[in-house]
Each structure stands twice: as structure tokens, then as C-alpha cells.
Amino acid sequence: MTFKLKNNIITTKQLLHILLMCVLCLLSAEVKAQTTLSKKSKQKIDSLILAKPQTYDQINTVVKYSKKDTLLLRYFAARADKSKYFVGASYAYNQLGTVYRNLSQYKKAIQLHKLGLEASTLADNIEFKVYSLNMLGVDYRRIDAIRTALDYNQQALELAESVKKPSKDLKRSINVSLNSIGNLYHSLEQYNLAINRYNASLKIEEELGNKLGLAINYQNIGEALEEQGKLEEALEKYRTSLAYNEEIDSDKGQVICNNSIAQVYLKQNKTKKAIVLLETALVGAKQIGDKYITAFVEANMGWAYMQLNNIEKAENHIKRSIEIGKDQGIPRIIALGTKRLSELEQLKGNHDNALTYYKRAIELEKN
């Protein structure tokens, strides 16, 4: 495809390069405004750009311990783009996007992952195109844009599967696609289809020996089983996931598992056991700074205190959950919190208020 500008013709790649150069100027300005990188960090990135490795694993070997360092990543993105090392730029933009997504800053995450996709297009690198598409799928799923998310993850899967002999990195991306598509089917309440995708991903994770991937898939299968009312089977999957997360020392994974196990306990009326796990999960969620997870734990804390008839504590937790949902623009969280408020008003005997909140929750779930 080409674009005409006065008497000049610009190719798609040239247009993307112009866009990336604009971002480069912004990144350079931001880097200068922040604390200066250490000489050692600059040397590490400059050496990487000089070597120009072309796979995720090769780059990650050098940068993996700095993947949350936004200053270093921005320096990497700016230097890589200036050097036309677009594979490196794609890696840096995608890692930055993931950092912001984990801080629940989804607008920034989407912008950065789109830049990662543009850089991978300039590099004509399938591995990084697939990775970027998957990351965008996860971003949009977090804000409940299900159809958009499904489109990105499906594109990623089809592109990855077009390679006859996929590399180890590409196989990992296929797993991400399968897992993400499973999550989206889950959101659409198509639980058997979701479990089918999770099991397909699980097989590849077992081949790769990827314990993080195994933890994620067992967690997701547990969630689908829980939705089907198969609580004991769900607990078994959650506990398997928790064991893997403990083995790899994933704080985030342990928080998610403990919240899920507690949720099953609440459905089984094992309230005191649930609260012990939820208190631990709430502290952990706040420590890692993931507001998305924090909101779900808060909602479950509210539910737990309702079961103990502690109205004041229940209301405080539920309202905090809704506040986070509104602040982050996540309808799913607002809907869950509003549903819990309906149950709380019913418990208080305020039936009219309960009905109002219930209707509001249903409307939010439809949107």
C-alpha cells in the first residue's frame, strides 16, 4: 500500500517509520527529564543495539532483569528506533506496555503495544508481530472490549500457525493466543470452548516445561469449571496452579490463586477459611500494584463479610471495589460490585434499593 503526499509517494513502511520517529522525540525528551541512567545500563543497551539480536530470547537474556525499569526501556526504544533496529524497538515498546498494563494504565499500554506492532512490521518479523498482537488482545480484554481482543488474538494465532516449523518462542506465543482466546470464550460464557483452548495450550506448555504457562492454564481451567458449578474440580485446578506459582515464586500468581480458592470457599459457606486467604491476597494485590486484581479481592471481601452479617465492613470493601472499577474504566468490576451492593441492600431489608442495584448491574453486564 502507498500514500500520496503532494508530489511524493510514501510507502506503508515509511509512514510507520515517520510515526515511530515522532514517538522517538517524545521518548528522548522524557528520558532527559528523568534521572539519568547509569553508565553500566547505557553500555548494556548500546552493546545490544550494536549486536542487533533478532529473537525475543536473545534480547531477553540481556534485558530480563530490567523489564520493569521504564527508564531503561525508554532509552532502549529510543536508541533502537534511531538505529533502525526495529526488532529491539518492538521488544522495548512491548515490555513498556506490559509494565503499564500491570499498573492498570490500559490506555498507555495499548498505545505502546501498538508501537510494538508497528516496529515489528517495519522489521518484517513474524515472531514480534505475533507477540505484539497477543499483547493488544490482553490489553483489550482487560477493559472488556471482548470482540476487539478476540480479533487481535485470532490474528496472532493464525499468523503463528502459518509457520511450518515454529521456533520455541513462536510456540510460546501460540500458547498465549490459545490461552487468551480461551479467556475470551470464558467471558462469552462458552466454557467448554474455553476449556478446550486451555487444554490445547496446556499440552504445549508441558512440552516446553514452562511452569508459568502451566500455572496460568490450570488457573483458567479452574475458573471455567467453577462457572459450571464443578467446585471440587475447580479447587483441584486452583491448588495445582498455586503450587506452580509458589515454585516459580510468582507473587501475582499466588494472589490470583488465593482469591480464587477463597471464592470457592465462599460458595461452600466456608467463610472464615475464605477471609484468611482474602486478607493475604488483598495485601499481596496492593503490594504488586495491580488494581484490577485488588478490585476483585475487595469484592470478595465484601461478600465474605456479608456472610458474617458484618454490614459495615462488607459495604466498605464493596464500595472500594466499585471505586477502582470506575477509576480504571472497567465495566466488569463495576457490574460485580453493583451486584454485591444489591445483595447487601437485600440483607439490610431495603428491597427497593436492592432491585435498583440489581437492574443497574444487569445493564452494566450487557454493555
Side-chain angles (χ1 to χ4, degrees):
M1 185 183 293
T2 58
F3 298 85
K4 217 167 190 182
L5 183 61
K6 292 186 178 179
N7 296 323
N8 300 318
I9 294 178
I10 307 174
T11 67
T12 304
K13 279 197 172 185
Q14 287 171 332
L15 181 62
L16 289 174
H17 188 217
I18 291 167
L19 292 171
L20 286 174
M21 288 301 291
C22 292
V23 176
L24 168 64
C25 294
L26 294 172
L27 288 177
S28 297
E30 185 169 337
V31 167
K32 288 176 184 176
Q34 297 180 48
T35 306
T36 307
L37 271 178
S38 69
K39 186 177 179 181
K40 186 178 179 181
S41 293
K42 285 185 177 180
Q43 286 175 341
K44 178 169 69 174
I45 295 302
D46 291 345
S47 297
L48 188 64
I49 289 169
L50 190 64
K52 288 183 168 57
Q54 296 298 304
T55 71
Y56 181 94
D57 269 354
Q58 289 169 341
I59 300 171
N60 200 52
T61 299
V62 179
V63 186
K64 63 182 175 182
Y65 297 113
S66 307
K67 285 162 72 171
K68 294 182 181 179
D69 186 340
T70 57
L71 182 59
L72 181 141
L73 290 170
R74 288 185 181 280
Y75 178 78
F76 183 14
R79 291 282 290 112
D81 194 51
K82 189 174 183 180
S83 303
K84 297 187 179 181
Y85 172 37
F86 296 120
V87 163
S90 183
Y91 177 96
Y93 286 131
N94 279 315
Q95 296 306 321
L96 276 167
T98 300
V99 170
Y100 284 112
R101 184 176 67 221
N102 289 339
L103 293 172
S104 304
Q105 296 185 37
Y106 302 115
K107 187 176 179 181
K108 275 189 179 180
I110 289 168
Q111 289 172 341
L112 286 160
H113 285 137
K114 283 184 176 179
L115 288 172
L117 180 59
E118 288 168 4
S120 70
T121 301
L122 287 168
D124 196 22
N125 186 296
I126 286 181
E127 179 188 345
F128 280 90
K129 281 183 186 177
V130 171
Y131 186 89
S132 303
L133 288 165
N134 273 330
M135 291 301 97
L136 283 163
V138 176
D139 293 338
Y140 279 105
R141 176 163 54 85
R142 280 295 191 97
I143 59 171
D144 293 329
I146 304 302
R147 298 295 177 185
T148 303
L150 188 58
D151 182 53
Y152 276 117
N153 288 131
Q154 195 62 48
Q155 283 184 61
L157 183 60
E158 288 171 6
L159 185 58
E161 288 182 336
S162 71
V163 178
K164 290 183 179 179
K165 293 182 179 179
S167 64
K168 188 176 179 181
D169 287 336
L170 212 47
K171 281 184 178 180
R172 283 201 290 258
S173 287
I174 289 171
N175 279 339
V176 173
S177 299
L178 287 168
N179 193 274
S180 296
I181 292 168
N183 283 324
L184 294 165
Y185 280 133
H186 186 119
S187 297
L188 296 169
E189 299 181 2
Q190 297 181 34
Y191 302 119
N192 287 330
L193 283 174
I195 290 171
N196 178 274
R197 296 302 186 277
Y198 298 144
N199 280 325
S201 178
L202 200 60
K203 285 181 182 179
I204 302 174
E205 298 291 17
E206 285 171 348
E207 289 174 15
L208 295 171
N210 181 11
K211 291 178 182 178
L212 174 59
L214 290 168
I216 292 169
N217 276 288
Y218 276 113
Q219 168 68 25
N220 287 336
I221 293 170
E223 289 178 5
L225 289 168
E226 182 185 344
E227 291 289 353
Q228 292 177 318
K230 300 173 182 178
L231 300 184
E232 288 301 328
E233 290 180 53
L235 271 178
E236 181 188 344
K237 302 300 182 185
Y238 289 147
R239 286 168 180 154
T240 302
S241 179
L242 180 60
Y244 278 118
N245 279 306
E246 288 172 343
E247 193 174 342
I248 62 177
D249 199 26
S250 170
D251 293 333
K252 183 175 180 178
Q254 289 177 62
V255 168
I256 292 170
C257 289
N258 282 325
N259 181 57
S260 296
I261 292 168
Q263 186 168 280
V264 173
Y265 285 159
L266 289 173
K267 291 179 180 180
Q268 295 176 328
N269 294 314
K270 299 174 181 177
T271 312
K272 290 183 179 178
K273 287 179 74 173
I275 284 178
V276 171
L277 287 177
L278 289 170
E279 286 174 346
T280 302
L282 190 57
V283 171
K286 288 178 179 178
Q287 284 176 344
I288 61 177
D290 194 314
K291 293 180 181 178
Y292 185 84
I293 298 170
T294 301
F296 281 109
V297 179
E298 290 278 18
N300 276 336
M301 287 288 280
W303 185 14
Y305 281 111
M306 269 195 285
Q307 289 189 2
L308 294 177
N309 208 33
N310 189 328
I311 303 299
E312 185 178 352
K313 280 192 174 182
E315 191 165 11
N316 288 338
H317 284 293
I318 293 167
K319 285 184 175 179
R320 277 201 289 270
S321 176
I322 294 172
E323 283 170 12
I324 295 169
K326 288 180 177 177
D327 183 57
Q328 301 300 317
I330 309 170
R332 184 183 170 196
I333 291 172
I334 304 168
L336 176 61
T338 305
K339 186 179 178 183
R340 293 283 177 249
L341 279 181
S342 172
E343 293 164 1
L344 186 65
E345 290 300 316
Q346 190 72 29
L347 190 62
K348 289 179 183 178
N350 299 331
H351 304 300
D352 289 343
N353 287 346
L355 183 59
T356 300
Y357 281 125
Y358 178 76
K359 287 178 178 178
R360 192 178 300 170
I362 296 299
E363 286 301 315
L364 285 164
E365 286 174 350
K366 286 179 182 177
N367 295 333

